[in-house]
Structure formats: structure tokens, C-alpha cells
Amino acid sequence: MNKFLALISILYLNCAVAKNIEPLNNYSLEEFFTDEKASHTVLERCISLYSAITELTKKKYPELASEFFQIANTLYPYGIISFSKTRKISYEEAEKFFFTNVNNLTNLYIDEMKKNGEKNKSYFKLSFIGDDLRFCHEVTKSFNLVISELNNE
């Protein structure tokens, strides 16, 4: 029964996400570190944004794409752990759902960035995506610092 409810909630979230991407400006670093649901949402969105940038830059700027790919892959396991905790499902189940969510969000970011690129000649100019990228950078820096400090203890 618990798995069935988790599946229904995941499907609902996928449908809600498929419509549009809300800017991350409603979240703060404090929320990221203190609220598990906010942490999950931010990780999922940042991984998706980094993945979208990887896809859009890999042909013209392969080294830059590789850096974004590495960042996304560093955060990915923590996103799955967070998803598993918030949904109270196994890591294996969470991994499947998380992959689907990230893939859907990545495609939405790619579409949004392409539209913005055609309109403004930039993926980020005059778009919330630039603000999201700055926020994700701050989250990633802070997250890596915390992980580094925990490893040194």
C-alpha cells in the first residue's frame, strides 16, 4: 500500500512538473540545509539544470559540458537519498523515480533555454534560469563545503 501511494504521488509530481518550471528564488540556503523537502527539490532542480547545460554545450564547449556533468553526478546520489527520505521508499525505488524526474526537468530546462536563446541570443539573459544557476552554484559550493568538513571529522 505504501509503495502504491508513493507511485501515485510520484506520477502526480511528474504531471505537475511537466507543465512548467518555477524559479528557485523561493528557496534559500538555510531552507536547503534545514528542510528535507526543500533540499530534495533544490537538488533535483540543480542536477536537472546542470544536466541541461551539459547537453546544450557538449558539442561546442566539451570541457565546460564535462564540468557541469561532473557537478551533476556528484550531487546525484544525494538527490536520491533525499528523495528516498522524503517519500519513505527504498533507495532503489527512489533511484528510478528520481532519474525520471531529473530527465523530465532536464528536458524542460533545455526547451526553456532554447526558447530564451532564440529570443535573447543567450540561454540565460533576461531569464530566471541565470538566477537559478547562480543559486545552484551557491548550493553546490555550500554542500561541498559541508561534505568536506564532515569527511575531515
Side-chain angles (χ1 to χ4, degrees):
M1 181 70 170
N2 192 21
K3 289 180 183 181
F4 178 73
L5 290 174
L7 178 62
I8 296 298
S9 67
I10 301 303
L11 291 174
Y12 173 76
L13 287 173
N14 280 340
C15 291
V17 163
K19 293 180 182 171
N20 63 5
I21 303 172
E22 294 293 323
L24 287 171
N25 62 3
N26 292 326
Y27 296 95
S28 67
L29 281 176
E30 182 180 340
E31 275 182 292
F32 175 75
F33 285 110
T34 60
D35 180 332
E36 193 68 47
K37 285 185 179 185
S39 176
H40 161 70
T41 299
V42 170
L43 280 170
E44 189 174 72
R45 293 280 305 285
C46 290
I47 292 165
S48 300
L49 178 56
Y50 291 148
S51 297
I53 294 169
T54 299
E55 287 301 310
L56 290 173
T57 61
K58 67 184 176 184
K59 288 182 184 170
K60 194 170 183 178
Y61 305 102
E63 289 177 13
L64 179 65
S66 177
E67 288 180 34
F68 277 103
F69 179 78
Q70 288 174 357
I71 295 168
N73 281 338
T74 299
L75 295 177
Y76 202 88
Y78 299 104
I80 297 169
I81 292 167
S82 179
F83 192 81
S84 175
K85 284 182 180 180
T86 58
R87 300 289 184 253
K88 297 180 180 22
I89 58 176
S90 71
Y91 183 91
E92 291 76 21
E93 287 179 280
E95 187 173 23
K96 293 174 192 173
F97 291 120
F98 191 75
F99 173 80
T100 300
N101 289 350
V102 166
N103 196 40
N104 290 340
L105 281 165
T106 298
N107 289 330
L108 289 172
Y109 269 118
I110 288 171
D111 291 345
E112 186 68 31
M113 291 168 74
K114 283 181 177 179
K115 284 182 213 169
N116 203 61
E118 289 172 11
K119 182 179 176 183
N120 298 309
K121 307 295 183 229
S122 166
Y123 293 139
F124 308 106
K125 185 179 175 184
L126 302 175
S127 170
F128 70 91
I129 295 174
D131 294 333
D132 281 6
L133 183 57
R134 278 187 286 284
F135 180 68
C136 287
H137 175 71
E138 288 302 314
V139 165
T140 303
K141 260 186 5 186
S142 299
F143 191 72
N144 286 335
L145 181 63
V146 169
I147 296 299
S148 175
E149 288 175 358
L150 289 173
N151 286 336
N152 289 332
E153 289 182 355

